[in-house]
Amino acid sequence: MRVTASGKPLGATIEDIDLSQPVPEAQFKGILRALGAFGVLCFPGQRLDAGALARFGALFGELEINVANRFQEPGHPEVMILSNMIREGQPLGLGDAGQGWHTDMSYSKQIALANVLYAVKVPVRDGRPLGDTQFRNMHAAYEGLPAELKRRLAGRTATHDFAKFWDMMRARPGSQRAPLSPAQRAKKPPVSQPVFRIHPITGRTVLYCNPGYAVRIDGMPERESAELLELLFAHQEKPEYFYAHQWAEGQVLMWDNIGTVHNAVPDYHPEESRYMRRVQVMATKDYARLAA
Ligand code: SIN
């Protein structure tokens, strides 16, 4: 297995490994360490059906079954389909997944370690792949915060709400998202998360507060909370934290959901097909021990 860093604020390519085959312990450890160090890992040239993707993802933690998701690979409720494709008048997948800066599962008490996506179909126009996934480095964002802000927010928590991102997407023109049912809402009540947390692989502090789900800083007057959130979100936008991944079919992309925030770019038309399989890996293991 060969790990090549992108030389950018995030990202590495991992080659000479076939993810459809069992992953030996030394390679598992190498991938976990690389995930902590580089945040976004690209494994080009893979061939993974839904079962193989789920098997690879499950090495790292339990796989989430999304409460609002009706687009799953047959026989694999843990493998979600993200796609703009329509067959016989029916959408094949969730067409607008992740189109806004966020961190998956920050709205859940049990947070996620990683997303793992497999690119089945990537839109290309004039030779350029479309539908990039963009990232921001939250280790670096924490380190770059002014000391005064670090002090002010140390030990603080923020409330994260699943409905914030869902309702934002629903409000977009042409959205196919139905309102969340009371049962779906009840399964995902708002939760509090530390604004700064220790990353379980690197042992370093990250800024864990994203514009997709964070709605307020707990225990602060509304106005102060709103101002601070705005400040944190604006800080994350600095170019030195930014990384964009350009897709190719057959790639597996695994990213750290604790040390990054991400955004899916919808720069392709309905007739330009995009089809991704995705699993979400919950942070259910002792990663410090596993990576040691
Ligand atoms: C996501 O937020 O998991 C979707 C990312 C993408 O489809 O590029």
Side-chain angles (χ1 to χ4, degrees), residues 23 27-29 31-33 35 41 43 54-63 113-114 116 201 254 281-287 290:
V23 176
Q27 291 193 340
F28 169 80
K29 213 184 264 287
I31 295 170
L32 199 56
R33 286 184 184 157
L35 186 68
L41 306 178
F43 303 81
R55 268 195 304 282
F56 174 67
L59 295 176
F60 297 87
E62 279 171 31
L63 301 183
L113 175 78
V116 190
I201 303 173
M254 177 176 196
V281 182
M282 305 308 289
T284 50
K285 295 194 174 187
D286 180 351
Y287 300 105
L290 290 171

Side-chain angles (χ1 to χ4, degrees), residues 2-274:
R2 196 153 42 95
V3 182
T4 311
S6 71
K8 297 181 179 160
L10 289 161
T13 301
I14 304 193
E15 293 161 295
D16 299 337
I17 180 168
D18 178 353
L19 299 183
S20 69
Q21 298 302 310
V23 176
E25 200 189 323
Q27 291 193 340
F28 169 80
K29 213 184 264 287
I31 295 170
L32 199 56
R33 286 184 184 157
L35 186 68
F38 303 111
V40 181
L41 306 178
C42 177
F43 303 81
Q46 302 291 325
R47 284 173 74 91
L48 295 189
D49 60 16
L53 177 65
R55 268 195 304 282
F56 174 67
L59 295 176
F60 297 87
E62 279 171 31
L63 301 183
E64 155 80 358
I65 298 180
N66 193 298
V67 294
N69 169 32
R70 61 189 175 97
F71 298 109
Q72 303 160 345
E73 290 288 355
H76 290 282
E78 72 283 28
V79 181
M80 190 166 167
I81 303 169
L82 315 182
S83 182
N84 62 344
M85 294 170 71
I86 312 270
R87 188 169 296 152
E88 291 161 13
Q90 296 302 315
L92 293 188
L94 186 61
D96 61 359
Q99 295 176 2
W101 286 98
H102 67 290
T103 302
D104 287 83
M105 310 304 300
S106 74
Y107 52 79
S108 164
K109 216 181 178 73
Q110 172 66 71
I111 62 166
L113 175 78
N115 273 18
V116 190
L117 266 66
Y118 176 70
V120 178
K121 214 152 186 29
V122 174
V124 177
R125 194 188 306 152
D126 301 328
R128 190 213 178 272
L130 302 168
D132 286 7
T133 309
Q134 302 175 330
F135 298 89
R136 290 178 177 146
N137 185 329
M138 293 300 111
H139 279 96
Y142 171 76
E143 281 151 23
L145 278 175
E148 200 276 313
L149 208 51
K150 284 185 185 161
R151 255 194 316 275
R152 219 165 131 199
L153 287 167
R156 288 278 184 181
T157 60
T159 297
H160 294 237
D161 190 347
F162 178 71
K164 181 182 181 188
F165 196 83
W166 188 272
D167 292 344
M168 186 184 81
M169 297 311 297
R170 254 177 61 67
R172 288 194 183 174
S175 172
Q176 304 289 316
R177 294 190 188 218
L180 288 174
S181 69
Q184 286 169 326
R185 276 236 62 147
K187 277 194 187 159
K188 292 285 174 206
V191 298
S192 285
Q193 302 285 4
V195 175
F196 303 144
R197 71 187 319 143
I198 300 296
H199 192 284
I201 303 173
T202 63
R204 288 161 49 211
T205 305
V206 296
L207 171 56
Y208 191 77
C209 196
N210 67 85
Y213 294 114
V215 290
R216 66 169 300 146
I217 297 177
D218 302 323
M220 256 184 199
E222 177 63 43
R223 192 173 158 166
E224 190 184 353
S225 153
E227 279 170 9
L228 273 176
L229 284 181
E230 210 171 294
L231 222 141
L232 288 179
F233 301 153
H235 172 77
Q236 296 176 8
E237 288 177 16
K238 290 189 177 167
E240 60 262 39
Y241 308 142
F242 180 82
Y243 175 73
H245 176 73
Q246 204 170 70
W247 287 93
E249 288 171 9
Q251 284 177 344
V252 167
L253 197 71
M254 177 176 196
W255 67 78
D256 172 3
N257 255 328
I258 301 175
T260 72
V261 296
H262 65 276
N263 171 45
V265 181
D267 58 353
Y268 46 92
H269 301 309
E271 68 281 3
E272 295 173 313
S273 300
R274 189 177 194 262

